[in-house]
Amino acid sequence: MLVNGSGCLDALAAPGVAAQLDAFVTKTITPEPREGSPPVRIAETEAGMLNSIGLQGPGIDAFLADTLPALAAQGLRIWVSVGGFSAPDYAGICERLDGRPEVEVIELNLSCPNVEEAPESSAQIVAACRSRTTRPLYAKLSPATSDIAESARAVVAAGADGLTLVNTLRGMALDPLTLRPKLARGFGGYSGPALRPIALACVSACARAVDVPIVGLGGVASGQHALELVAAGASVVSLGTVLFSDPSAPESIRRGLRHESTVRGYTDSLAARGVANSI
Ligand SMILES: Cc1cc2nc3c(=O)[nH]c(=O)nc-3n(C[C@H](O)[C@H](O)[C@H](O)COP(=O)(O)O)c2cc1C
């Protein structure tokens, strides 16, 4: 199964790209409308991209009134990414999504490097959301932690049905002449090729620690990359930064995943799930 990374695809602006995916993941929705960070918000680096979008979005009211019906009209399976600044923020949005049958999965963005973290722990936020919705809840975790398997155990014990691994890492890029940060906020989330070995390690560690579906993402740009994430324990592969440069990536990566699986004798790519974890 192929999906997009939250914030990496606007399905309303690019319906043809969204139609290549098995489900569409929305940009993170917050309780109130947010303008996000000031420009410059994107910078390229040698091995990836920095962004400091800062959770720009319409807020939950406009999302439910306008965006969700428009996405549903495109016939998409819809996963909604939820963010906030406290456990009640997250839980309040979950409660409102619970009444909407168009929503297949709620992904809790517990790890945005561009906003202040909620004061509660990830497990407390998951527990608060669990009490307000029966929808499948996926916890999206940061790779910037000393023991991600421990975080995975905690959020699953608190009621998460799945994990999304990984979000971006905080990074910084300087203008070579002025030596000032390229991004207006100084730092941003680092994504793309450099994240791939980190994502593989996080998926592998969590797949060994908990028995829930894992959405793997971080630097995927080919069928080989997707199959490696499955081998590390992912059951869903998600595409992020690659979508900014290649709108046909979902189709070509799906074809490549099928090919790489077949040449290794797997009738289905999921048959390779976890083979990297036997040592
Ligand atoms: C421009 C941009 C915006 C993003 N916005 C969000 C967001 O709103 N919520 C979220 O959970 N992750 C967000 N992410 C993180 C991605 O969903 C993904 O976790 C990350 O980019 C790693 O995957 P990649 O290396 O394939 O891009 C964003 C990433 C980028 C590049």
Side-chain angles (χ1 to χ4, degrees):
M1 179 172 183
L2 277 186
V3 303
N4 63 287
S6 171
C8 297
L9 177 65
D10 179 347
L12 299 178
V17 183
Q20 298 170 47
L21 298 163
D22 298 300
F24 169 69
V25 183
T26 70
K27 175 140 186 74
T28 296
I29 307 301
T30 51
E32 302 295 333
R34 285 174 56 85
E35 286 191 2
S37 310
V40 175
R41 311 202 293 187
I42 300 271
E44 294 214 15
T45 73
E46 309 88 300
M49 170 174 147
L50 283 168
N51 89 82
S52 69
I53 308 296
L55 298 188
Q56 178 183 10
I60 185 66
D61 289 344
F63 175 80
L64 292 176
D66 305 325
T67 316
L68 188 56
L71 291 171
Q74 284 182 207
L76 299 169
R77 289 165 63 183
I78 302 165
W79 293 21
V80 179
S81 170
V82 169
F85 302 94
S86 67
D89 277 358
Y90 283 85
I93 297 180
C94 286
E95 181 165 29
R96 296 189 63 192
L97 292 172
D98 193 58
R100 299 295 288 256
E102 308 96 304
V103 179
E104 183 176 299
V105 167
I106 298 174
E107 182 176 272
L108 302 175
N109 177 3
L110 301 171
S111 49
C112 182
N114 294 318
V115 295
E116 292 302 317
E117 296 288 326
E120 296 93 341
S121 72
S122 295
Q124 286 171 316
I125 294 171
V126 171
C129 294
R130 181 74 291 161
S131 69
R132 309 279 275 280
T133 182
T134 56
R135 290 303 151 83
L137 274 181
Y138 280 45
K140 185 169 182 179
L141 302 179
S142 168
T145 169
S146 54
D147 187 352
I148 198 163
E150 193 48 47
S151 310
R153 281 190 208 96
V155 294
V156 169
D161 301 294
L163 300 173
T164 301
L165 306 167
V166 290
N167 211 321
T168 53
L169 276 174
R170 186 173 290 193
M172 187 185 205
L174 302 185
D175 181 289
L177 205 60
T178 66
L179 302 181
R180 298 285 189 273
K182 288 184 176 176
L183 297 176
R185 286 191 70 223
F187 57 84
Y190 192 34
S191 65
L195 216 50
R196 206 167 72 77
I198 297 164
L200 277 170
C202 290
V203 168
S204 175
C206 292
R208 295 164 200 240
V210 292
D211 186 18
V212 295
I214 295 176
V215 181
L217 81 165
V220 174
S222 70
Q224 171 76 30
H225 296 168
L227 184 60
E228 289 186 15
L229 271 176
V230 172
S235 44
V236 176
V237 174
S238 179
L239 309 179
T241 301
V242 70
L243 296 175
F244 291 93
S245 58
D246 180 5
S248 65
E251 274 311 331
S252 59
I253 289 172
R254 190 190 299 281
R255 261 198 317 275
L257 177 59
R258 208 175 296 130
H259 173 74
E260 297 298 341
S261 303
T262 306
V263 296
R264 287 169 181 79
Y266 298 116
T267 46
D268 183 311
S269 57
L270 285 182
R273 187 173 183 217
V275 300
N277 300 339
S278 53
I279 55 154

